[in-house]
Amino acid sequence: MIAEIISVGNELLIGKTVNTNAAWLARKLTILGFNVKRITVVPDDEDSIVSEVKASIGRGSKLIVMTGGLGPTFDDKTSESLAKALGRRWVINEEAYRMVKLKYERKGLPLTEHRVKMAKMPENAKPIPNPTGTAPGIYIEHGNTIIIALPGVPSEMKEMFEKYVEPKLKNLVKNRYFVESKIIVKGIPESTIAPIIDKVVKSEPLVYVKSHPKGLELEKPVIELHLYTSDSSREAALERLRKVKELLRKEILNFTGEFIEE
Amino acid sequence: MIAEIISVGNELLIGKTVNTNAAWLARKLTILGFNVKRITVVPDDEDSIVSEVKASIGRGSKLIVMTGGLGPTFDDKTSESLAKALGRRWVINEEAYRMVKLKYERKGLPLTEHRVKMAKMPENAKPIPNPTGTAPGIYIEHGNTIIIALPGVPSEMKEMFEKYVEPKLKNLVKNRYFVESKIIVKGIPESTIAPIIDKVVKSEPLVYVKSHPKGLELEKPVIELHLYTSDSSREAALERLRKVKELLRKEILNFTGEFIEE
């Protein structure tokens, strides 16, 4: 189940904002059992969004999660661009319209053009309720691809994902368990551990072992080894992880280093 | 001057690590005068790296900055993939070899295969010294595109960028000044400000005005307006920014909101 994340927003491209949304979503999707193959940040620009959505579908993504560009301002272009990318009309979605209308009516505010815009979606989309904000999210099934667009405001995005998106995706990826573990190795340079990882990964290719240097390679080496695997059986995944950890411990303890399990 | 950032690393795609490197680089490149058009995160996988580098060159990038995948482990594939993407041989770079050799020799450590790997680069690349780590960075001029690959460890990446990359890029983009400003508007919903932004941006299209909702649209609206522009004259850029700020203040003060300059 291949997934991609597309983050829309100039603020990410001028380095004003760190893309914590993408990391949060990547973690959620990974734990749900998706294989996140790509995160792309594109500007608030129709052509860029359209071409990236098309490219992602072309790469065979089963799921595309987008964030940003759903609000009322001139540069919120995700919805319209999605319609264009999918060859659908961009229309007022009745359900989304009711959601937006209710929010502003309660406050005695009129439905201006900029507010109605938040209810416009590609034809046959389903709106995703936004409990704290005003712009609904967008859910679209397009051929074999599910496309979900959420607001860029982290609190709104997270709440909507957990309340409405996650339960839907859980049904989609049944019985896929992601398990992980961490080892800290002190006193051995990464380049010394590298051949050990080669050997271990060859003996168990289903466990990914990634080394993260946290200290100074030559002066004070500290390596975090992050191990992970996924399986339809949680027990099988955990057992595989345990074996690799054991193997790593044995190999690493041949060197004069410290091996700390976490 | 279009730039793209390509971040390589599975840890970013499983949401283990937040891509602070890309935000830091995006900020640096923007201030240098580049127009960062895309940030892409790809896995530690040769095909993905090769195709993204090719695609970025195809999109007309003048500068591609890559991070990650330069280390000694099996999944560090940036250098080899770059060679493939550019149709160059992947060879031991003599200068890089001397850098790596010196580091390990000082510690009395032999030059193993995994250590020599860090000195292998696409033919005709220039190594970028790595003062604190061991893997040199890579500098390549390829047709009209400059490609720079730096390690994924943030402290190494930042030091190398500031010491060796930034001075080079400064010569490339002369006289381009990026200026910015921030306004906080309290008490007015984003959807009310949206038509004001439309109007202001139409009157001065060279200043980008982006609204960032920080509060609750309907209950307690707080909007950060981020304004920025760039120009070959710093004075012209600042003057443009000042005018737009003044216009925004005038328009917004027609509503019963608070206008706070920052």
Side-chain angles (χ1 to χ4, degrees), chain B:
Chain B
M1 282 289 218
I2 289 176
E4 292 197 8
I5 296 167
I6 301 175
S7 311
V8 181
N10 291 357
E11 69 278 17
L12 300 161
L13 294 168
I14 60 169
K16 183 188 185 303
T17 308
V18 177
N19 198 356
T20 54
N21 278 351
W24 188 89
L25 281 169
R27 178 92 187 138
K28 281 281 187 186
L29 296 176
T30 300
I31 289 169
L32 279 168
F34 286 94
N35 180 3
V36 181
K37 290 281 271 182
R38 188 180 296 244
I39 297 168
T40 314
V41 182
V42 293
D44 300 293
D45 158 68
E46 194 175 279
D47 287 348
S48 304
I49 304 171
V50 169
S51 77
E52 196 52 36
V53 170
K54 282 184 175 172
S56 180
I57 293 173
R59 282 187 294 264
S61 300
K62 288 285 166 220
L63 173 70
I64 301 172
V65 182
M66 305 178 72
T67 57
L70 294 184
T73 60
F74 78 100
D75 59 346
D76 285 310
K77 290 173 182 164
T78 298
S79 178
E80 194 172 357
S81 305
L82 255 179
K84 213 168 189 176
L86 305 178
R88 299 190 186 197
R89 292 196 310 139
W90 192 47
V91 295
I92 292 179
N93 180 294
E94 289 307 323
E95 205 182 333
Y97 184 80
R98 278 193 300 274
M99 290 175 182
V100 174
K101 192 168 173 245
L102 195 68
K103 297 243 176 195
Y104 287 100
E105 265 183 358
R106 274 188 191 150
K107 287 275 149 188
L109 292 166
L111 264 189
T112 60
E113 187 194 329
H114 288 82
R115 287 172 186 144
V116 171
K117 185 189 159 205
M118 294 189 274
K120 288 184 83 176
M121 295 188 177
E123 212 165 13
N124 296 320
K126 284 279 294 174
I128 301 167
N130 184 340
T132 33
T134 46
I138 301 171
Y139 178 94
I140 299 172
E141 291 179 4
H142 192 82
N144 285 320
T145 311
I146 290 174
I147 301 162
I148 290 161
L150 298 169
V153 178
S155 57
E156 296 179 21
M157 185 278 289
K158 288 178 188 174
E159 186 179 18
M160 291 162 77
F161 186 90
E162 288 183 333
K163 267 200 183 140
Y164 304 104
V165 179
E166 208 166 19
K168 249 188 153 75
L169 297 181
K170 256 184 193 152
N171 285 328
L172 209 69
V173 209
K174 273 192 183 121
N175 304 322
R176 197 78 209 158
Y177 298 92
F178 175 86
V179 297
E180 61 190 331
S181 187
K182 216 162 78 175
I183 294 161
I184 308 289
V185 182
K186 286 186 182 168
I188 309 173
E190 191 189 22
S191 57
T192 302
I193 297 178
I196 299 175
I197 299 176
D198 282 3
K199 195 173 153 186
V200 169
V201 165
K202 253 176 216 150
S203 83
E204 185 43 275
L206 289 176
V207 175
Y208 194 91
V209 180
K210 176 120 194 174
S211 69
H212 298 277
K214 300 282 176 185
L216 295 170
E217 164 85 351
L218 290 169
E219 306 308 321
K220 222 184 164 183
V222 178
I223 310 294
E224 179 193 306
L225 294 178
H226 186 240
L227 289 62
Y228 58 93
T229 189
S230 62
D231 201 286
S232 58
S233 149
R234 204 177 134 74
E235 287 64 40
L238 284 170
E239 176 56 16
R240 207 149 60 213
L241 210 60
R242 198 196 53 76
K243 270 189 187 158
V244 166
K245 224 168 161 177
E246 200 35 52
L247 203 56
L248 277 170
R249 180 210 301 273
K250 238 176 61 185
E251 293 283 345
I252 287 169
L253 289 187
N254 287 335
F255 293 85
T256 47
E258 231 181 303
F259 183 97
I260 304 155
E261 273 186 63
E262 285 200 2

Side-chain angles (χ1 to χ4, degrees), chain A:
Chain A
M1 284 289 218
I2 289 176
E4 291 197 10
I5 295 166
I6 301 175
S7 311
V8 180
N10 291 358
E11 69 277 16
L12 300 161
L13 294 169
I14 59 169
K16 183 190 186 299
T17 307
V18 177
N19 198 354
T20 54
N21 278 350
W24 188 89
L25 281 169
R27 178 93 188 141
K28 281 282 187 186
L29 296 176
T30 299
I31 289 169
L32 279 167
F34 285 95
N35 181 4
V36 181
K37 290 280 270 182
R38 187 180 296 242
I39 297 167
T40 313
V41 182
V42 293
D44 300 294
D45 156 69
E46 194 175 281
D47 287 348
S48 304
I49 303 171
V50 169
S51 77
E52 196 51 37
V53 170
K54 281 184 176 173
S56 180
I57 293 173
R59 282 188 293 263
S61 299
K62 288 284 166 222
L63 174 70
I64 301 172
V65 182
M66 305 177 74
T67 57
L70 295 183
T73 59
F74 78 100
D75 59 345
D76 285 309
K77 290 174 181 165
T78 298
S79 178
E80 193 171 359
S81 305
L82 254 178
K84 212 168 190 175
L86 305 177
R88 300 189 185 197
R89 292 197 310 139
W90 192 48
V91 295
I92 291 179
N93 181 294
E94 288 307 324
E95 205 182 333
Y97 184 79
R98 278 193 300 275
M99 291 176 181
V100 173
K101 193 167 174 248
L102 195 68
K103 297 243 175 195
Y104 286 100
E105 265 183 359
R106 273 190 192 149
K107 286 276 150 187
L109 291 167
L111 264 188
T112 61
E113 187 195 329
H114 288 83
R115 287 173 185 142
V116 171
K117 186 189 157 205
M118 294 190 273
K120 288 185 83 175
M121 296 189 175
E123 210 164 15
N124 295 321
K126 285 279 294 174
I128 301 168
N130 183 342
T132 35
T134 46
I138 302 173
Y139 177 94
I140 300 172
E141 291 180 3
H142 192 80
N144 285 320
T145 310
I146 290 174
I147 301 162
I148 289 161
L150 298 169
V153 178
S155 58
E156 296 178 22
M157 185 278 288
K158 289 178 188 174
E159 185 180 19
M160 290 162 77
F161 187 89
E162 288 183 334
K163 267 200 182 138
Y164 304 105
V165 178
E166 208 166 17
K168 248 187 153 79
L169 297 181
K170 255 183 193 151
N171 285 327
L172 209 71
V173 209
K174 272 193 182 119
N175 305 321
R176 197 80 208 156
Y177 299 92
F178 175 85
V179 297
E180 63 190 329
S181 187
K182 215 161 79 176
I183 294 161
I184 308 289
V185 182
K186 287 185 182 171
I188 308 173
E190 191 189 23
S191 57
T192 302
I193 296 177
I196 299 174
I197 299 175
D198 281 2
K199 195 173 152 186
V200 169
V201 165
K202 252 177 217 150
S203 83
E204 184 44 275
L206 289 177
V207 175
Y208 195 91
V209 180
K210 175 119 193 175
S211 69
H212 298 277
K214 301 280 175 185
L216 294 171
E217 164 86 351
L218 290 168
E219 306 308 321
K220 223 182 164 189
V222 178
I223 310 293
E224 179 193 305
L225 294 177
H226 186 239
L227 289 62
Y228 59 92
T229 189
S230 62
D231 201 286
S232 57
S233 148
R234 205 178 133 75
E235 287 65 39
L238 284 169
E239 176 57 16
R240 206 147 63 211
L241 209 60
R242 199 196 53 76
K243 270 189 188 158
V244 166
K245 222 166 163 179
E246 199 38 50
L247 202 56
L248 276 170
R249 180 209 302 274
K250 239 175 63 186
E251 294 283 344
I252 287 169
L253 288 187
N254 287 335
F255 293 84
T256 48
E258 230 181 303
F259 184 98
I260 304 155
E261 273 185 62
E262 287 201 2

